Amino acid sequence: MLVIEKIAEMQSKSNDLKKNGKTIAFVPTMGYLHEGHLGLMRYGKELADVVIASIFVNPTQFGPNEDFEKYPRDFERDKTMAESAGVEYLFYPAVEEMYPGSFNTMIKMSGITDKFEGKTRPGHFDGVATVVLKLFNAVLPDIAIFGQKDFQQTAVIRQLVRDFNIPVNIVVAPTKREEDGLAMSSRNVYLPSDLRQKASIIYSALNSANALINQGEKKRLAINEIMKNKLAEVSEIRLDYACAVTADSMEEPDEFNSGESVALIIACYLGKTRLIDNKVLAIP
Ligand code: AMP
């Protein structure tokens, strides 16, 4: 596996690969890799000839009081893990390479970004969209793979690709979970062991709502209520949102229709750690 730190070198390598008829799958990450990331990389190998991953903790998607400085980083460990998952090129730019002093353009999104994650984290998705466009222009992939774990992010990326006519095929892969159901996340290392044990309640809340829907419940507020009640069993949880939304546009009708695809989305703080998770299912 080759580590590439410069944008120009990455572009030149990708152009060479394409000239040789190779297709490229790209997995952008912020590093501190776990099985969730590695699953996306392995999936990339099934979808294209060459897998390129990136590791870049993107400052523009963190708010002033968020964890940019203390976000976990371990490049040597990440390198070994990415290579074991079949990554051939690891793009690892420095902050100054991506955002030199002369950098002056930010994407400003609206609509889908006005609610949920975007509401709690103002500017977050502008930073995500900006860095993803920059990464796409460095890596020049045919396919880019994102995790369903960040449900709203996948909708934002699809919007970005539509709005800017970006010739990249977006693929979303399912969420990898720990044995107790907690969605894998680099931020799980922040959880002290007592809270880590309680974190599986988030998955239980999603499953309770799933079961209620399968029993015939279609009313949005009733579905939200069962998730909130479940999460309230852990006193250390501070809820941001627990909502059922339409999976395609994240809207909140009073009632869902049979056959409609619904996303159950949760964001909460467990102690100081912000955790998100979701489940997508069809209304019977
Ligand atoms: P991150 O490093 O957190 O920015 O995540 C990089 C990519 O990995 C994003 O597309 C995430 O949605 C995806 N990802 C993160 N956690 C998981 C998980 N548990 N299962 C599947 N994909 C994930």
Side-chain angles (χ1 to χ4, degrees):
M1 187 182 72
L2 190 65
V3 176
I4 296 178
E5 297 187 3
K6 299 293 174 199
I7 294 167
E9 191 187 341
M10 187 70 256
Q11 287 168 328
S12 142
K13 180 52 75 181
S14 289
N15 278 323
D16 285 350
L17 289 166
K18 290 179 162 201
K19 269 187 217 136
N20 290 323
K22 306 284 187 200
T23 55
I24 299 172
F26 174 45
V27 179
T29 83
M30 297 205 299
Y32 213 71
L33 301 180
H34 51 66
E35 266 303 313
H37 298 117
L38 301 190
L40 305 188
M41 294 166 187
R42 290 188 201 106
Y43 191 29
K45 198 65 206 164
E46 289 174 35
L47 300 178
D49 299 321
V50 178
V51 182
I52 302 180
S54 64
I55 294 181
F56 181 63
V57 185
N58 172 39
T60 65
Q61 71 188 69
F62 287 79
N65 298 317
E66 294 185 349
D67 55 347
F68 173 70
E69 295 296 341
K70 82 177 220 298
Y71 194 84
R73 293 162 170 91
D74 187 340
F75 184 62
E76 288 308 313
R77 174 175 161 279
D78 285 351
K79 230 166 47 179
T80 311
M81 290 173 79
E83 186 157 26
S84 77
V87 171
E88 278 136 302
Y89 300 94
L90 188 58
F91 182 48
Y92 181 56
V95 171
E96 305 73 51
E97 176 72 2
M98 292 292 275
Y99 301 111
S102 57
F103 183 84
N104 264 321
T105 312
M106 285 291 295
I107 291 175
K108 169 91 186 71
M109 293 190 79
S110 57
I112 189 103
T113 57
D114 296 341
K115 45 199 171 184
F116 306 117
E117 288 305 283
K119 188 168 175 194
T120 304
R121 307 181 66 190
H124 169 65
F125 286 125
D126 295 342
V128 169
T130 302
V131 81
V132 166
L133 181 59
K134 283 182 67 73
L135 289 168
F136 282 2
N137 283 334
V139 173
L140 307 171
D142 300 283
I143 299 169
I145 307 171
F146 293 85
Q148 190 195 306
K149 154 88 186 345
D150 297 276
F151 180 79
Q152 193 174 5
Q153 175 171 277
T154 63
V156 166
I157 302 296
R158 288 189 201 284
Q159 177 86 45
L160 171 76
V161 162
R162 268 198 311 275
D163 288 350
F164 282 171
N165 320 104
I166 301 174
V168 175
N169 197 353
I170 303 302
V171 173
V172 175
T175 303
K176 279 256 170 58
R177 301 180 176 283
E178 303 288 355
E179 260 174 36
D180 65 354
L182 176 65
M184 289 183 177
S185 164
S186 307
R187 288 190 168 99
N188 289 351
V189 294
Y190 296 151
L191 292 169
S193 66
D194 56 329
L195 294 183
R196 167 63 192 84
Q197 277 174 29
K198 296 177 179 178
S200 61
I201 194 86
I202 299 169
Y203 190 51
S204 308
L206 293 172
N207 286 332
S208 304
N210 190 347
L212 186 71
I213 289 170
N214 284 338
Q215 284 158 27
E217 186 59 74
K218 292 191 174 71
K219 285 196 223 55
R220 183 174 55 83
L221 291 181
I223 301 166
N224 292 356
E225 189 71 12
I226 197 166
M227 291 193 280
K228 286 178 187 163
N229 288 342
K230 190 76 197 172
L231 292 165
E233 288 174 19
V234 170
S235 62
E236 293 92 340
I237 283 188
R238 186 159 58 83
L239 186 63
D240 185 351
Y241 56 79
C243 296
V245 299
T246 59
D248 56 355
S249 49
M250 301 189 81
E251 266 144 36
E252 299 179 275
D254 290 344
E255 209 167 307
F256 297 102
N257 299 317
S258 283
E260 192 166 32
S261 193
V262 169
L264 307 168
I265 55 172
I266 291 178
C268 61
Y269 297 86
L270 187 48
K272 285 186 186 145
T273 307
R274 189 159 198 281
L275 299 173
I276 60 170
D277 201 352
N278 70 84
K279 194 159 196 184
V280 177
L281 66 150
I283 298 283

